[in-house]
Amino acid sequence: MDRPESFSGDSTSLLSEEQLLCSICLDVFTHPVTTQCGHNFCKSCLTQCWEKSQHCYCPLCKEKFTKKPELKINTTVREVADHFKKKRDPDKPEVLCDACTGEKLKALKSCLDCRATYCKTHLKPHNHVPSLQKHKLINPVENLEDYICQKHERPLELFCRDDQTCVCQFCTETDHKNHNTVPLEEESGERKTQLGKIQTDVQQMIQDRLKKIQEIKHSVELSKRRTEKEKADSVEVFTALIRSIERSQAELLEVMEEKQKAAERQAEGLIKELEQEITVLNRRDTELEQLSHTEEHLHLLQIYSSMCSPPHTKNWTEISINTDLSGDTVRTALSQLQQTLNEKLTKTLNDKLKEAVSIELKRIQQYAVDVTLDPDTANPYLILSGDLKQVTDGDKQQDLPDTPKRFNKCVNVLGKQSFSSGKFYYEVQVRGKTKWDLGLAKESIYRKMPITLTPQNGFWTVILRNENQYKACADPDVPLTLREKVETVGVFVDYEEGLVSFYDVKSRSHIYSFTGQSFTEKLYPFFSPGFNEGGKNSAPLIISPVIGTE
C-alpha cells in the first residue's frame, strides 16, 4: 500500500517557507528556539531582542515572561529549516566560513572555543598562535551550538557513561562529579565498533530475509507447478472417465440395438409361420365350404375323416416377442457399468493420491535432521545403543540417577535435539514390533507419573497396539486403517504452521496429521519402544538415515 502523501521523504512538503521564517529577521531559522507561548525565533535574534528590553516577552504575541526562559534549540524545527535551506540552495556548500566578509568560502574546521567556523585561510592563526593552538577544533558543522555546554558555555569534550550524555570539563566538577567520564573520541570509537557489529548483524538479517524471499518465491513456484500438474492430472482423470463412460454407453446402446434387432428377427420368423398357417387354414376353410354343398355323397364320406382332423399348427398361446429392453438385461448392464466406473475411479484416485503423497514426502524429506536419543531422559528400563540411534526395553531396571529430565514410570525417551522454529523431519524404523509410540513432545511435559498421550498434555503421537491396531492420540483416539503393516515411520513438523504429520515411508502414504496446533516452547522427538513382552516386542526402535539426504 502506498504511503500517505504527508509521510513523503520531503519533510518540507509539510511546511511552507513562511512557516520557516523568523518573524524578527524575516529569514529562514538559524538555531531556532521556542518560547513558552509556542512561537519560534532564531536564538541570536531573540537574545538581542531581550538585551534591548527591560522585560522578556514574545516578539510575536507580546506575552511577558516573569522569569527569563532558558533557551534550548528546537532540533525538529532546525532540521526542517536546514533541509529547506539545502533544497533552496542545492549548490551552496553545507558549511561556510564565519570570518569571510565578502564571498564566504567553504569551511575547513569549526572551533568550539571561538564558537566559529573557519575556512583554510582564517584557520591559519589556530595553527601558529600558541594560545589558539589549545582550542578544540572539529570538522565543520552548521549547528555549532550543539557542541557547546549550554550551562557552562564550554566545549562538550567528554561523555558521561553513567548518565549517557555529553558533558564539558566543568560538568565533571559539578553535576557529574565522580561519574565515569571518557573523552568523546574514546566513546565514539567504541560506539563505532558497536555500530559495526550491529551493521554486520543488520547485513546478515538483510541476507537472511533476501534468502527467505527466494525461498518463498521458490515455494510459490513449486506450488504453482504442483497445482498445474494436479490440474492436468485431474483433467486427465476425468477425461479418461468420460471416455470410459462413453465406451460403456456405446456398448450398452449396442446391446440394446442388438436386442431390438433380435426381437425384430424373431417377429419376422413368427409372422412368416403364422402367415403360412393362415394359408393352410384358408385352404381348409374353402374345402369345408365346398363339401358342405356337395351332392357327391360317396366322396364326402371317403374324405370326411381327414377333413375332421385340424391342420397341423403351433400352439401360439405362450409364444411372444421379448421386447423388455429396460428389464434385467439393461439393469445388469448398468450395474456392471457402475461397478466398472467405481473400480476405475477408485484406482485412478488412489494412484493419484499415492503419487501426490510421494511427491510431498520427497519434498519434506529435504528438511531431514540428525536426531539422536538423550540418555538423560531415558527410563531406567530402556537400553540405548552406543550411537544413540536405537532403543529397546531391557526387562531390567538399571541403576541411574532420577534426574528431573528422566521418565521414571513410562518406558519413554526423548531426542537430544530440540526445535523451536522452522521445519524438520526424521524417520524411525519400527519393523518387527508389536507395540510402539512415536511423535513429538514439548519441553515442559511431566515425566514422573503415567502419561496420557494427548496434545493437551503436550504430546503429538501415533501408536501401535496388539501388532496391527494403529491409533492417533488426539483425545479421543482416532483409529487408523492402514493397507499394510508399517515398517518405517516418517515424522514431519512445521513449527510455525502448527503441523505434525506421519508417513509410511515404504508405501509412500500418509498416516495422520495434527493440524492447527499452537507451539510456544521447545519441541523434542518422542520415542517409546513399549515393553519387551517376553520377547514378542524385543525389536528396537531405530532412528534411520533418510534416503537421498545423506
Side-chain angles (χ1 to χ4, degrees):
M1 183 173 131
D2 293 337
R3 294 187 299 174
E5 185 177 350
S6 59
F7 288 92
S8 67
D10 185 0
S11 59
T12 59
S13 63
L14 301 176
L15 298 171
S16 66
E17 181 177 0
E18 293 180 356
Q19 292 174 295
L20 296 173
L21 297 181
C22 172
S23 60
I24 299 175
C25 68
L26 302 179
D27 199 358
V28 177
F29 292 122
T30 301
H31 305 316
V33 293
T34 304
T35 59
Q36 294 176 353
C37 56
H39 294 118
N40 296 305
F41 305 92
C42 296
K43 184 177 181 181
S44 59
C45 294
L46 186 59
T47 301
Q48 292 175 12
C49 180
W50 285 352
E51 288 176 353
K52 297 176 182 179
S53 175
Q54 295 180 350
H55 303 286
C56 295
Y57 64 94
C58 173
L60 193 61
C61 69
K62 307 303 181 183
E63 179 180 342
K64 292 184 179 181
F65 309 123
T66 56
K67 182 181 178 182
K68 183 179 180 180
E70 181 180 354
L71 299 178
K72 292 187 177 180
I73 305 296
N74 188 323
T75 56
T76 301
V77 177
R78 184 189 66 194
E79 289 174 0
V80 176
D82 290 348
H83 182 77
F84 183 84
K85 291 177 182 178
K86 292 176 183 178
K87 184 179 179 184
R88 184 180 61 181
D89 303 312
D91 297 329
K92 186 178 179 181
E94 290 186 357
V95 183
L96 300 179
C97 177
D98 293 332
C100 290
T101 55
E103 181 183 354
K104 292 184 177 294
L105 300 179
K106 182 178 179 180
L108 183 63
K109 291 288 183 180
S110 293
C111 177
L112 296 180
D113 293 276
C114 299
R115 300 189 196 179
T117 299
Y118 301 110
C119 64
K120 183 176 181 181
T121 301
H122 290 107
L123 186 65
K124 288 182 178 179
H126 282 75
N127 297 327
H128 304 294
V129 178
S131 60
L132 296 179
Q133 288 178 344
K134 298 178 182 180
H135 286 194
K136 181 69 174 180
L137 299 177
I138 62 173
N139 289 328
V141 293
E142 274 193 350
N143 309 310
L144 201 52
E145 291 290 332
D146 292 348
Y147 295 81
I148 304 296
C149 176
Q150 295 193 12
K151 184 173 183 180
H152 300 113
E153 302 292 328
R154 299 294 300 167
L156 295 171
E157 301 179 281
L158 303 170
F159 183 81
C160 177
R161 288 179 171 172
D162 293 338
D163 296 331
Q164 293 293 298
T165 186
C166 297
V167 297
C168 69
Q169 189 63 45
F170 287 172
C171 291
T172 63
E173 299 172 4
T174 54
D175 295 343
H176 298 269
K177 189 176 182 179
N178 298 324
H179 285 193
N180 181 17
T181 58
V182 295
L184 288 180
E185 293 79 1
E186 180 180 338
E187 183 67 20
S188 177
E190 292 188 11
R191 294 291 176 94
K192 286 181 181 179
T193 301
Q194 294 173 2
L195 289 175
K197 294 179 181 178
I198 294 173
Q199 183 182 15
T200 300
D201 294 339
V202 169
Q203 291 173 348
Q204 184 60 49
M205 292 171 67
I206 292 172
Q207 293 302 316
D208 293 342
R209 279 148 184 77
L210 289 173
K211 183 178 178 181
K212 178 58 69 174
I213 289 174
Q214 293 302 317
E215 290 179 1
I216 293 173
K217 288 182 178 179
H218 183 61
S219 298
V220 171
E221 182 62 27
L222 289 179
S223 176
K224 182 179 179 181
R225 292 177 187 175
R226 287 197 298 271
T227 301
E228 293 299 325
K229 187 177 186 304
E230 289 170 1
K231 287 167 62 178
D233 291 344
S234 299
V235 171
E236 181 182 344
V237 169
F238 287 103
T239 300
L241 288 175
I242 291 172
R243 289 174 180 170
S244 179
I245 292 172
E246 290 174 345
R247 285 196 300 270
S248 299
Q249 182 186 36
E251 292 171 2
L252 179 59
L253 293 176
E254 185 178 349
V255 169
M256 295 173 69
E257 185 68 25
E258 184 59 35
K259 182 78 173 178
Q260 176 64 30
K261 290 180 179 180
E264 291 176 357
R265 287 195 297 271
Q266 182 187 13
E268 288 177 0
L270 293 176
I271 290 171
K272 187 175 182 180
E273 287 186 50
L274 285 168
E275 288 176 343
Q276 289 174 351
E277 289 189 1
I278 288 172
T279 300
V280 171
L281 290 172
N282 282 332
R283 188 165 52 245
R284 175 62 58 88
D285 180 61
T286 300
E287 291 174 350
L288 289 173
E289 178 65 26
Q290 291 174 352
L291 287 174
S292 66
H293 299 288
T294 184
E295 295 296 333
E296 297 179 6
H297 306 293
L298 179 62
H299 178 66
L300 173 63
L301 293 174
Q302 290 175 342
I303 64 173
Y304 177 79
S305 296
S306 61
M307 286 296 179
C308 288
S309 301
H312 179 70
T313 59
K314 281 185 178 181
N315 181 5
W316 295 91
T317 305
E318 302 297 332
I319 295 177
S320 63
I321 302 299
N322 182 13
T323 59
D324 185 14
L325 299 181
S326 60
D328 293 341
T329 301
V330 177
R331 284 193 291 272
T332 300
L334 288 174
S335 177
Q336 292 175 346
L337 172 61
Q338 183 177 4
Q339 181 179 353
T340 301
L341 291 178
N342 287 339
E343 290 175 354
K344 288 182 178 180
L345 180 59
T346 300
K347 183 179 184 305
T348 302
L349 293 178
N350 284 338
D351 290 345
K352 293 301 179 183
L353 179 60
K354 185 174 181 179
E355 180 183 356
V357 172
S358 181
I359 293 172
E360 177 68 10
L361 185 57
K362 184 176 181 180
R363 182 185 69 82
I364 65 177
Q365 282 178 329
Q366 298 175 4
Y367 298 99
V369 294
D370 184 21
V371 173
T372 55
L373 302 169
D374 184 359
D376 293 336
T377 66
N379 181 282
Y381 280 87
L382 294 180
I383 297 176
L384 275 58
S385 62
D387 61 359
L388 301 178
K389 292 285 187 178
Q390 301 185 28
V391 57
T392 188
D393 174 33
D395 265 347
K396 181 178 179 181
Q397 185 171 0
Q398 303 173 75
D399 185 15
L400 297 173
D402 188 16
T403 61
K405 294 174 61 177
R406 191 179 304 281
F407 292 96
N408 66 352
K409 295 294 183 182
C410 302
V411 285
N412 302 332
V413 59
L414 296 180
K416 198 173 187 65
Q417 294 72 26
S418 65
F419 305 89
S420 55
S421 65
K423 304 178 182 69
F424 61 95
Y425 172 84
Y426 60 94
E427 293 179 354
V428 183
Q429 180 181 304
V430 296
R431 186 169 54 240
K433 297 194 65 61
T434 61
K435 178 180 180 180
W436 49 257
D437 306 343
L438 284 177
L440 207 65
K442 65 182 183 181
E443 186 175 33
S444 62
I445 54 171
Y446 195 63
R447 313 179 190 198
K448 302 302 180 182
M449 60 183 294
I451 298 169
T452 302
L453 301 177
T454 64
Q456 290 82 355
N457 292 336
F459 297 88
W460 295 266
T461 57
V462 166
I463 66 174
L464 170 67
R465 296 292 184 268
N466 302 322
E467 198 167 344
N468 58 7
Q469 295 178 2
Y470 297 92
K471 296 179 182 179
C473 300
D475 193 22
D477 291 346
V478 179
L480 303 173
T481 302
L482 305 183
R483 287 177 291 180
E484 54 188 81
K485 191 171 179 62
V486 181
E487 294 188 0
T488 302
V489 178
V491 183
F492 173 70
V493 180
D494 187 332
Y495 193 97
E496 285 74 19
E497 196 68 25
L499 173 69
V500 183
S501 294
F502 298 83
Y503 295 88
D504 181 345
V505 177
K506 182 180 179 182
S507 67
R508 315 295 286 182
S509 59
H510 175 253
I511 297 176
Y512 187 79
S513 286
F514 294 90
T515 60
Q517 307 299 304
S518 179
F519 301 134
T520 57
E521 57 182 275
K522 291 180 180 178
L523 301 178
Y524 290 83
F526 173 81
F527 310 86
S528 175
F531 292 120
N532 189 292
E533 296 181 348
K536 292 182 180 179
N537 191 37
S538 61
L541 289 178
I542 303 174
I543 303 172
S544 53
V546 178
I547 298 175
T549 63
E550 290 293 287

